[in-house]
Amino acid sequence: MNPGSGGTAPRAWYPDSDAGRLSLNGRWRFRLSPGAATRDESFARPGFDASGWATVAVPGHWVLQGTGGAPAYTNVVYPFPVDPPRVPAENPTGDHLRSFDLPAGWSGDGEVLLRFDGVESCARVWLNGQELGDFKGSRLPHEFAVGGLLRPEGNVLAVRVHQWSSGSYLEDQDQWWLPGIFRDVTLLERPPGAPRDFFVHAGYDHRDGSGTLRVECEGAEGRVLVPELGIDVAAGETVTVAVEPWTAETPRLYDGELVTSGERIGLRVGFRSVVVEDGLVRVNGRRVLFRGVNRHEFHPETGRTVDTATMRRDLVLMKQHNINAVRTSHYPPHPAFLDLCDELGLWVIDECDLETHGFGGLEWRGNPVDDERWTPALLDRAARMVERDKNHASVIIWSLGNECGTGRGLSAMAEWIRGRDPERLVHYEGDLSCRDVDLYSRMYPTHAEVELIGRRAEEPLADPEADARRRAMPFLMCEYAHAMGNGPGGLGEYQRLFERYARCQGGFVWEWIDHGIAHPEHGFAYGGDFGEELHDGNFVCDGLLFPDRTPSPGLIEYKKVVEPVRIEPLTGPGSVRITNGYDFAGSAHLDFEWSHEVDGVPVGSGTLAVPELAPGASAEVRLPMDGAGVWTVRAVLARDTSWGECGHVVAWGQAEAGAAVPPAAAVGARPERGEGLITLGPGVFDAVTGAPVRLGAVPLEGLRLDVWRAPTDNDNGAAWQPDEQYGLRWRESGLHRMRHRVDAVEAGEDALVVRTRVAPAGGGLGLRTAYRWTADGERLGLTVSVIPEGEWRVPLPRLGVRFGLPAPYGAARWFGGGPGEAYPDTRAASVLGQWGMSVDEMQTPYVRPQENGARADVRWAELTDGGGAGVRIEGGAPFWFTARRWTSEQLDAAGHAPELRAGGSVWVNLDHAVQGIGSHSCGPGVLPEYRLDARPAEFSFVFSPLG
C-alpha cells in the first residue's frame, strides 16, 4: 500500500531550462525472472558482469521486445487473485542495468535528480551499489536525489521492475498489462539557486480583457519576464495587463522566463479562467461544448511508449477532425503531450492513474478507495499528477480517476486538489451523488436520458440536498459512443441534444485508437492472441483510429457530426444557412466554396461571399446559380495553421434540388424457353430454379434475397441488455443459415415470376419472396416483393438481394453516398456524388472482421473489368451498395483480417434497407428509427450489361 520510499516531493515538469540534462534512454542490459524472489540483488553491486544478459530499449516494455513474457488484455477483471495488497509469487521481474558517464562541464555543485517518468508497475532503484528507494504509480513521475553518489565516469544504474505490486490494484484500467520502464529516464542537474518548483497562475477576466499573472517560485528568489507584455516582476508578485486569452480554438501562448540565480526556465503562459457559473462550465466567461475523445497512450509496436512525433500526429489528426478536447484516460499522459495540447489547442481533462474496476464484481468489498490504509497512496497519485501538470493552460479539469466505486479516499483526493489548485474543476464519474466534484458526469446514457438531464428533469436522488446540488451542475459524458468496430451509431442525435440543451456540454467518445498489437500472423492482435488465461477479446479495439493510425469511418463521421460550422439548406431554393458554432472564434479564418453537380458531374464551382460571423451567429447566403442537381458548400481554412494547410475542409453541407429520377421501366420483351434455360432480354435464367445465370456476356451467380450480415461488435452488444444483442438473437433465429425453397417459376407473356420461401430451419419464421423479371431487350428489370410470415421478434440485419460476379469485375463506380461506408445511423459524413474505386478499396479493415463497406443513397452502380465490360445497376429508389471478394458468411467466420482470402467471385449486395449500427458494444443500442423491423416490402432494380 505504501506508494514508495526514498524519493523527493513531486514537482512541475518542464523541458525548457538551461540546467544540465542527461537522457538515460537507450539500450539497457536486461534479465527476466519468473518471480519477485527468485534472484538476489547482486546485479546492483559494483562490478557485476551482465555481459551475458539480453538488451532492451528503454523506454519500452520487455514483453514487446522478445525477451520473455507476453502482453495480456483485460477490461475489468484483475489477471491475478484479488487479495489486496498481495500479488502472486508468479510475478515476472525484469532487472535493468545501465552504465553512463556524466557530461563534460557538469560542475558537481548543487543537486542532481534521477527522474523516472513511467514504470509499470513497481521499481526498486540502485545507483553505484547504493539503494535509492522504490516507487509505485506506473504513469506518474518519481525522482531521487543522487548528487552525492555520482562520479564523472562509470556510473551504474540498476532498476528492478516487478510486473505486479500492490499498486496494480489501483491500475485496473481497460488496457494491455505491459510491464517495463516505458517512459523516459533522465538525470537533471539542479544548480545552486535553482528553484525546487514553481506554479504559474494566469487568469483571465473576460469583462475587461485583462490577464493576471503570478508565478510562485519555491526554494529560490527569481524574476518573471514576459517581454511581449512588458512584464518584469519578482516571482510571487501579481501583475495585471491586457492580453489575448488562451482557448482551445485560439491557443494564444506568451513566451516568458522564470529567472533565478541558478537557472533560467522557459515559460509558455496561457491566460484563461474556468468556473462553474449558472449551472454551466464557462471558460473565459463562455459556455464551452466539448467535442472530445478519450485517449490511451498506444502504439501498435511499442505499446504505451509513444514518441513525441506520434503524439503530435495524434493531436493534428484530432484538430483536423474537429475534436477540441481530450480526456487522458485513465492516467496522466507523457508530459510532452500536454505541451502539445497547449500549443495546438485542446481542452484537457487530466485523469489520475487510478482505477479499481475489478472490485465491482466483488460488490466493491475491499475496494481500496474506501479503505483508509490506501489513502496515502491515493493522495500520492493525486499530488504527482497535479504538481507535474499544474502549469498547462490546456488542463482545465482534474479527474480523480475512473471506475473506482465510491469511498473516503476519493473525497480526500478532491479536498487536497481543491486546496492546492482551486482554479480548476474536479471530475469523477463513479459517484452519482457528485459530492466531491464540480460537474455531473456519466458514461453511455441513452439519448432519452440525456434529454431528461438537459432539461434538469432526470431521475431524482433519494437525498434531496444531494439531488438539488447535482441538478444544478453542468452535465458531461466522460464516455459515450463506443467506437468498437463498425460504428458508433447515433452520434448526430447526441450532438443535437448537446446543442439544444445548454446544460449538456458534450462528451468524449470512447476512444481514440484501437489497441491492436502488431502481429506476424494476425496482422493486429487482441485479447487471447497471446494465450492469456483471462482476457476480454477484441474489446481492446474500440477506437476511432485503426492501430496503424489510419482514420476509421467512425472518425470521419465524428468530424462531420461535431463540425463547428453548420451549413444547412433552407426550404426555399437557392439558399443556405451558415451558422458559426465555435465557442470563441469568429469565421474570419475560413473561406467558403461552392460546387454544383448534376448526376455527379461538375457543372460549376467558385467562392461564396459570407459575412464574418461571430460565435453563434448565422447568415442566410444565396447560392450563385439555380438548377437541379447537388449543391455542396464547404468551409475551408483560409490560411495555413499549425495543424492544417490552407484549403483543409472544416465543414460542409449539401442541398439536392429535385428528387432522384428512377430509371425507365424495362418492359416489352417476353420470356423465351430453351433447353433448360429461359431467356428474357439480356438475361438468361435457369428454367428449374428461375435464378439468373448470365446478363449479356457476364455470368451471374446465386442472385437471391439476402438478410444476413456478419455481426458487428455493436450488433453482438453488451450482456447487460440481452434484448439488444442482435447478433446473438439473429443466430438464435437462424438468420445466418437461411434456406431458399422455389415454389414456382412462371414464364408469362411479359414477365418471368419466381416465387420462393426464404426461412431458417427449426422455427416458423419465413419470408415469402417473389422475383418479377421484365426486360426491354437491352435492360433487365427486377421487382422483389417480400412478405414476412410468423412472429418476428427480432429486426432484420438487411433486406435486399445478393449475387456473385467473376473476380475480374472488381472495379466499382457509383452515383450516391461516398467515398466511405455509411449505415442508417452513421451516414452524416456520406457525400452525395460520383465515386470510383476498386472493390478491394471499398473494404474497411476492422481488426476483427465484420459487416462493413456499404454505400448509402446509391442511384446507380457499375462493376467492370479492365476493359470496361461488366454490369450496371440502377435502383427504382436510392439503395445501399456493397461489394466484396468474400461472402458475408466468410466475413463472419474470420477472427482477424489476414484470414480473409479473395475467392473467385465478387459478391454484390443491393439492399432496400439495412439495420442501423448503434454503439451497444458498451453503450445504447440502435435507436428505434434505425431498426429494420420485418414488414412487407417491395423494391426494384434495372440491370444492364456493359461493354
Side-chain angles (χ1 to χ4, degrees):
M1 299 181 189
N2 186 340
S5 63
T8 61
R11 65 192 184 96
W13 181 87
Y14 52 94
D16 186 4
S17 164
D18 64 353
R21 177 184 298 258
L22 175 65
S23 172
L24 298 181
N25 296 345
R27 302 300 300 184
W28 291 46
R29 291 290 179 178
F30 176 78
R31 175 183 67 183
L32 182 63
S33 302
T38 55
R39 302 276 190 180
D40 60 27
E41 299 164 9
S42 60
F43 82 105
R45 298 172 191 158
F48 182 85
D49 182 8
S51 59
W53 288 15
T55 64
V56 293
V58 171
H61 305 280
W62 72 70
V63 294
L64 297 179
Q65 300 189 56
T67 52
Y73 166 61
T74 61
N75 171 27
V76 175
V77 298
Y78 291 100
F80 48 78
V82 180
D83 182 26
R86 302 168 189 85
V87 293
E90 297 89 351
N91 188 357
T93 297
D95 291 332
H96 299 69
L97 280 174
R98 172 75 150 86
S99 298
F100 64 93
D101 300 332
L102 292 181
W106 276 35
S107 66
D109 297 332
E111 185 52 271
V112 176
L113 297 177
L114 172 64
R115 180 183 180 91
F116 295 87
D117 278 301
V119 181
E120 183 177 327
S121 72
C122 171
R124 291 177 64 193
V125 185
W126 295 263
L127 180 62
N128 293 332
Q130 179 70 44
E131 183 168 1
L132 303 179
D134 63 276
F135 61 86
K136 300 160 192 167
S138 297
R139 270 69 70 174
L140 295 162
H142 301 270
E143 293 181 337
F144 297 95
V146 297
L149 299 176
L150 290 168
R151 47 187 181 239
E153 297 179 342
N155 296 283
V156 178
L157 177 58
V159 184
R160 172 163 285 177
V161 179
H162 303 297
Q163 176 155 9
W164 313 120
S165 69
S166 62
S168 301
Y169 286 100
L170 305 180
E171 296 172 3
D172 189 28
Q173 292 99 339
D174 174 10
Q175 61 182 350
W176 294 98
W177 298 90
L178 297 172
I181 305 173
F182 69 93
R183 287 186 186 157
D184 306 288
V185 183
T186 315
L187 211 59
L188 301 168
E189 191 178 29
R190 309 303 301 139
R196 198 206 72 80
D197 197 10
F198 65 98
F199 193 164
V200 178
H201 301 268
Y204 179 72
D205 189 332
H206 65 278
R207 293 164 299 186
D208 61 11
S210 65
T212 300
L213 179 65
R214 177 172 58 89
V215 180
E216 299 174 6
C217 183
E218 180 185 338
E221 299 291 329
R223 296 195 67 79
V224 177
L225 312 177
V226 186
E228 189 176 354
L229 296 174
I231 294 175
D232 182 351
V233 298
E237 184 178 326
T238 299
V239 60
T240 300
V241 294
V243 297
E244 299 173 41
W246 187 97
T247 75
E249 297 168 6
T250 55
R252 182 67 160 93
L253 293 171
Y254 292 90
D255 291 330
E257 282 189 312
L258 171 61
V259 181
T260 69
S261 62
E263 186 179 22
R264 299 178 72 96
I265 298 169
L267 306 176
R268 295 198 304 172
V269 182
F271 293 88
R272 55 106 187 97
S273 62
V274 54
V275 297
V276 171
E277 186 176 83
D278 301 325
L280 301 175
V281 176
R282 296 186 185 274
V283 177
N284 302 339
R286 290 181 177 269
R287 175 211 185 234
V288 294
L289 180 57
F290 296 100
R291 301 168 166 93
V293 292
N294 287 274
R295 175 191 176 268
H296 270 294
E297 290 185 307
F298 184 75
H299 188 283
E301 296 174 347
T302 58
R304 275 187 289 282
T305 299
V306 181
D307 61 274
T308 305
T310 301
M311 297 178 207
R312 180 178 286 275
R313 180 181 174 190
D314 278 351
L315 287 170
V316 165
L317 277 171
M318 290 180 194
K319 295 288 288 188
Q320 290 176 345
H321 289 84
N322 295 328
I323 290 164
N324 71 356
V326 178
R327 175 179 174 231
T328 69
S329 53
H330 297 294
Y331 43 82
H334 190 289
F337 181 79
L338 299 178
D339 278 344
L340 293 170
C341 290
D342 292 343
E343 173 193 333
L344 296 172
L346 284 102
W347 310 117
V348 175
I349 297 181
D350 199 356
E351 192 150 87
C352 195
D353 189 7
L354 175 60
E355 181 168 337
T356 64
H357 203 171
F359 286 90
L362 306 174
E363 298 181 346
W364 299 105
R365 292 188 304 273
N367 185 10
V369 305
D370 201 29
D371 183 338
E372 62 184 12
R373 295 174 297 172
W374 290 87
T375 300
L378 304 184
L379 290 173
D380 178 74
R381 289 173 183 244
R384 291 187 183 280
M385 171 182 69
V386 171
E387 299 295 4
R388 191 196 76 168
D389 298 341
K390 59 184 177 282
N391 295 325
H392 289 282
S394 57
V395 176
I396 62 170
I397 300 173
W398 301 116
S399 180
L400 303 179
N402 184 69
E403 292 175 321
C404 297
T406 59
R408 294 163 288 176
L410 293 167
S411 299
M413 293 170 68
E415 182 180 2
W416 184 92
I417 290 173
R418 284 202 175 91
R420 178 59 173 146
D421 182 23
E423 297 166 353
R424 290 181 173 95
L425 307 181
V426 176
H427 166 275
Y428 176 64
E429 178 271 339
D431 184 359
L432 293 181
S433 75
C434 299
R435 62 182 177 182
D436 296 319
V437 298
D438 298 304
L439 58 161
Y440 177 27
S441 178
R442 288 285 303 282
M443 295 182 182
Y444 308 107
T446 65
H447 299 80
E449 189 175 3
V450 171
E451 179 150 20
L452 288 174
I453 293 170
R455 291 161 39 200
R456 302 190 190 269
E458 66 266 27
E459 187 74 20
L461 296 173
D463 181 344
E465 183 179 344
D467 182 67
R469 180 179 65 249
R470 191 184 76 177
R471 204 175 295 274
M473 288 180 169
F475 175 67
L476 191 68
M477 294 202 294
C478 64
E479 292 182 22
Y480 83 114
H482 197 248
M484 185 177 180
N486 188 333
L491 285 170
E493 288 74 16
Y494 277 122
Q495 194 68 19
R496 285 192 282 275
L497 292 169
F498 303 158
E499 294 172 1
R500 182 181 309 149
Y501 298 106
R503 184 190 189 192
C504 297
Q505 296 195 239
F508 296 77
V509 168
W510 186 268
E511 64 157 309
W512 177 237
I513 188 170
D514 286 344
H515 298 193
I517 292 178
H519 191 280
E521 177 185 352
H522 299 311
F524 293 109
Y526 48 76
D529 288 337
F530 297 98
E532 300 101 306
E533 184 178 49
L534 292 173
H535 67 85
D536 286 288
N538 71 309
F539 202 74
V540 77
C541 294
D542 46 11
L544 294 169
L545 294 182
F546 296 124
D548 64 0
R549 284 182 159 75
T550 300
S552 75
L555 181 57
I556 307 303
E557 178 81 356
Y558 194 42
K559 174 184 178 177
K560 173 60 180 169
V561 166
V562 301
E563 60 189 8
V565 176
R566 292 282 181 236
I567 303 170
E568 300 165 311
L570 297 174
T571 53
S575 296
V576 294
R577 182 179 302 281
I578 298 176
T579 303
N580 179 1
Y582 284 103
D583 296 324
F584 298 93
S587 62
H589 66 295
L590 300 173
D591 286 334
F592 292 84
E593 302 172 347
W594 65 271
S595 61
H596 182 204
E597 296 179 348
V598 176
D599 294 330
V601 178
V603 295
S605 64
T607 60
L608 192 65
V610 177
E612 185 173 343
L613 299 172
S618 297
E620 182 177 329
V621 180
R622 182 80 182 167
L623 295 172
M625 296 171 58
D626 291 322
V630 176
W631 295 87
T632 305
V633 176
R634 297 176 177 86
V636 303
L637 289 179
R639 62 192 67 87
D640 290 347
T641 71
S642 57
W643 51 266
E645 295 181 352
C646 179
H648 166 80
V649 177
V650 172
W652 59 271
Q654 283 191 313
E656 187 174 9
V661 178
V667 295
R670 61 179 296 166
E672 302 288 344
R673 285 189 176 271
E675 177 126 7
L677 299 172
I678 298 174
T679 301
L680 178 60
V684 180
F685 299 79
D686 185 289
V688 175
T689 65
V693 297
R694 195 168 70 247
L695 179 69
V698 181
L700 298 179
E701 176 184 358
L703 191 151
R704 60 190 188 181
L705 188 78
D706 190 23
V707 299
W708 179 245
R709 74 185 188 196
T712 68
D713 294 311
N714 288 303
D715 289 336
N716 288 331
W720 55 83
Q721 285 183 303
D723 286 350
E724 296 195 35
Q725 289 185 287
Y726 292 126
L728 303 182
R729 295 180 64 201
W730 290 337
R731 291 187 199 280
E732 291 170 356
S733 299
L735 301 190
H736 60 311
R737 48 178 173 79
M738 301 293 275
R739 298 294 177 260
H740 298 253
R741 185 186 74 212
V742 177
D743 291 337
V745 177
E746 303 167 353
E749 288 294 318
D750 58 355
L752 172 65
V753 179
V754 182
R755 304 189 187 279
T756 70
R757 187 173 189 270
V758 183
L765 298 179
L767 297 168
R768 187 72 64 178
T769 306
Y771 307 87
R772 188 174 191 273
W773 295 95
T774 60
D776 63 3
E778 297 180 353
R779 301 177 306 140
L780 186 65
L782 169 64
T783 299
V784 182
S785 301
V786 181
I787 300 175
E789 296 180 336
E791 188 176 359
W792 285 81
R793 297 182 178 178
V794 64
L796 295 171
R798 68 179 350 124
L799 182 65
V801 295
R802 181 177 79 176
F803 63 93
L805 295 170
Y809 297 96
R813 196 165 68 95
W814 70 95
F815 175 43
E821 75 180 25
Y823 290 82
D825 53 351
T826 66
R827 64 191 296 174
S830 183
V831 182
L832 190 59
Q834 193 173 131
W835 306 100
M837 63 184 69
S838 71
V839 167
D840 303 302
E841 292 171 320
M842 292 180 70
Q843 313 311 304
T844 304
Y846 294 112
V847 174
R848 186 192 73 80
Q850 56 198 271
E851 167 64 32
N852 73 89
R855 269 59 180 183
D857 295 317
V858 176
R859 277 65 162 165
W860 57 258
E862 296 177 350
L863 291 151
T864 57
D865 63 12
V871 174
R872 178 183 173 95
I873 308 109
E874 298 170 87
F879 60 94
W880 303 84
F881 168 53
T882 310
R884 54 175 69 104
R885 294 190 181 276
W886 35 78
T887 65
S888 294
E889 292 76 14
Q890 292 166 330
L891 186 64
D892 187 18
H896 296 82
E899 296 171 31
L900 292 168
R901 300 282 193 271
S905 300
V906 171
W907 292 97
V908 182
N909 277 92
L910 311 175
D911 288 315
H912 168 65
V914 296
Q915 166 89 347
I917 298 295
S919 64
H920 194 231
S921 51
C922 193
V926 179
L927 287 166
E929 57 265 40
Y930 302 121
R931 287 201 285 264
L932 178 55
D933 294 325
R935 58 171 60 97
E938 184 172 281
F939 49 93
S940 63
F941 304 99
V942 174
F943 297 81
S944 304
L946 297 174

